[in-house]
Amino acid sequence: MDSLLLRAIRKEPVERFPVWLMRQAGRYMKEYLHFRNQERDFLSLCKNVDLAVEISKLPIKLLGVDAIIIFSDILVPLEPLGVKVEFVENEGPKLSWHRDIGKLKGYDPQANAYVYEIITRLKRELPDVPVIGFCGAPFTLLSYMIEGGSSRDFRKTKTFMWEKEYDFHRLMTLLTETLISYADRQLSAGADLFQVFDSWTSALSRSDYEIYVLPYVEELFDKLSSKHDKPLIYFFRNSSAFMDLAEDLKVDVLSVDWTVDLSSEMLKSDKVFQGNLEPTVLYAREDVLKEKVLQLLRTIPRRTGYIFNLGHGIAPDMDFRKVKLLVDTVKSFSLE
Ligand code: CP3
């Protein structure tokens, strides 16, 4: 496949930097809400292949981004393990399970067949657009299971991790195996590249990341890179604290948040970088937003091997027109 995005990842010459945005299909788009109202809740929407395919394509049609990320959620592979996942309006995800790791079911990747079908359909309908498959990272999913939902300080997750190391290891191992199998099926279904979201490393110290998180992420990327010759992306937050550790992972692209000084990291590294505009900039005035995007682009010390993205996802209350302005600004920044 020869798209702008894949050429940039292979460090071939590009006429401009490619751009896509985390959470690019969501409630900030009225067209999303139109589809959303056709199902009773968010998870049913994820399982409705026809609607999920249409939603996945919205950012291509409405924003003109350079990749599709499949419409789904990081929590869907937890359901086959025996975790009940619900999305409560305006409260975010709620997870419940019997809290006995030994009673969780073994993962059957076929239970998420609707995800692979979304990928197959997107590749058939838009063969020239790169399709990004994704999953959460083991620690980020474990934190949802232990907290039972979103959290501010992750106190249950951290005390579990420190106090019950054996159980922590058992659950992380089960999640890592689950995610390897789930990611493998997405890549086999035709995903052109694959991103792992480690959103809640934002909560961790460097030494806890090194001891409790890194070995499982390593295992995940070792397995995927040995089986598939497709680009792998690792998104991890509090990125500057873990940069050198992430450097040694078998990934092609490091997707970093705004704690990182991109230009100096890129000068030191052979990896491809993705990021890292503060999403909050999207609340600023249009002239400020535009200048912030250009400032970032001007500091990129390479002419390829870089993908523009935010340092985290788009929020539901952001203004669609500003998101479009952001994409247009990146696309107008010529490298020729
Ligand atoms: O990027 C995309 O457009 C693809 C789809 C996608 C969603 N979630 C759709 C979604 C992706 C890649 C995700 C990943 C995801 N989900 C992450 C990692 C990225 C990050 O933001 O850190 C996390 C932590 C989740 C867990 C999750 N899912 C939360 C915390 C929420 C609730 C937040 C909210 O806005 O209410 C979701 C729900 C969710 N996932 C929505 C969408 C479009 C909103 C659902 C709705 O009400 O319509």
Side-chain angles (χ1 to χ4, degrees):
M1 183 182 213
D2 188 38
S3 60
L4 181 73
L5 179 70
L6 291 172
R7 276 190 284 132
I9 293 175
R10 293 194 293 258
K11 299 200 182 152
E12 294 166 10
V14 285
E15 53 282 12
R16 61 171 177 82
F17 292 127
V19 50
W20 70 276
L21 303 170
M22 290 186 263
R23 304 286 289 269
Q24 63 188 14
R27 281 177 294 188
Y28 79 101
M29 279 176 173
K30 62 177 187 312
E31 294 80 357
Y32 168 76
L33 296 173
H34 165 76
F35 289 120
R36 172 81 153 77
N37 290 334
Q38 297 179 33
E39 275 294 347
R40 62 183 178 282
D41 55 45
F42 170 67
L43 271 183
S44 310
L45 192 59
C46 293
K47 292 172 188 169
N48 182 326
V49 173
D50 291 335
L51 292 183
V53 166
E54 290 311 310
I55 296 170
S56 304
K57 292 189 293 191
L58 283 176
I60 296 286
K61 293 186 198 157
L62 303 173
L63 294 172
V65 288
D66 296 305
I68 288 177
I69 180 159
I70 57 163
F71 182 75
S72 189
D73 196 77
I74 58 168
L75 302 176
V76 305
L78 297 181
E79 281 189 315
L81 302 180
V83 178
K84 189 168 166 226
V85 181
E86 289 171 296
F87 285 84
V88 184
E89 207 70 45
N90 301 321
E91 280 181 51
K94 292 270 175 283
L95 290 82
S96 46
W97 54 298
H98 36 59
R99 302 272 166 170
D100 179 346
I101 296 164
K103 287 195 187 140
L104 288 168
K105 291 185 226 155
Y107 179 65
D108 173 9
Q110 208 44 37
N112 292 124
Y114 56 92
V115 175
Y116 323 132
E117 202 184 324
I118 294 167
I119 295 173
T120 314
R121 288 264 297 273
L122 287 167
K123 284 316 297 177
R124 206 184 306 142
E125 290 185 28
L126 298 173
D128 299 332
V129 182
V131 169
I132 306 173
F134 73 88
C135 69
F139 177 75
T140 290
L141 291 184
L142 176 137
S143 76
Y144 275 108
M145 285 180 69
I146 300 298
E147 302 291 335
S150 305
S151 170
R152 271 161 63 91
D153 57 11
F154 296 89
R155 70 176 74 173
K156 290 185 191 145
T157 304
K158 288 184 184 182
T159 50
F160 173 71
M161 172 174 98
W162 293 323
E163 291 174 358
K164 300 195 171 140
E165 288 213 20
Y166 177 71
D167 284 343
F168 176 83
H169 173 72
R170 277 213 302 168
L171 187 49
M172 285 293 272
T173 303
L174 173 68
L175 289 171
T176 305
E177 284 165 3
T178 297
L179 295 167
I180 290 168
S181 157
Y182 179 55
D184 173 46
R185 292 289 299 266
Q186 290 189 44
L187 287 159
S188 299
D192 298 294
L193 54 167
F194 194 85
Q195 174 153 326
V196 175
F197 285 89
D198 220 347
S199 306
W200 304 139
T201 56
S202 55
L204 294 175
S205 72
R206 181 184 160 85
S207 66
D208 282 343
Y209 178 83
E210 193 167 10
I211 297 167
Y212 297 106
V213 177
L214 188 63
Y216 304 95
V217 178
E218 247 165 23
E219 166 77 6
L220 178 62
F221 286 122
D222 282 355
K223 287 274 160 58
L224 293 181
S225 62
S226 69
K227 187 149 181 210
H228 297 276
D229 192 21
K230 289 179 176 174
L232 303 175
I233 311 176
Y234 182 46
F235 168 67
F236 58 110
R237 290 189 53 212
N238 194 11
S239 318
S240 56
F242 317 129
M243 236 12 242
D244 56 320
L245 301 170
E247 273 283 337
D248 295 331
L249 291 169
K250 292 207 176 63
V251 289
D252 305 274
V253 185
L254 294 177
S255 186
V256 297
D257 67 16
W258 57 98
T259 60
V260 170
D261 176 25
L262 260 190
S263 61
S264 57
E265 286 307 329
M266 289 175 79
L267 288 170
K268 286 189 282 187
S269 170
D270 289 333
K271 288 267 197 290
V272 174
F273 280 78
Q274 173 175 283
N276 71 347
L277 190 75
E278 272 190 73
T280 309
V281 170
L282 281 160
Y283 295 114
R285 239 178 24 226
E286 295 193 354
D287 57 318
V288 175
L289 164 66
K290 214 171 154 179
E291 193 45 40
K292 283 285 197 190
V293 174
L294 291 172
Q295 259 172 24
L296 171 59
L297 292 170
R298 287 187 203 111
T299 63
I300 301 303
R302 304 177 186 159
R303 302 176 67 81
T304 187
Y306 169 70
I307 305 160
F308 183 92
N309 207 317
L310 300 170
H312 196 193
I314 298 175
D317 63 352
M318 283 172 175
D319 178 348
F320 174 81
R321 284 166 314 175
K322 286 189 183 165
V323 179
K324 175 86 170 94
L325 174 67
L326 176 143
V327 172
D328 289 342
T329 308
V330 180
K331 288 174 75 175
S332 67
F333 188 84
S334 171
L335 299 165
E336 284 170 336

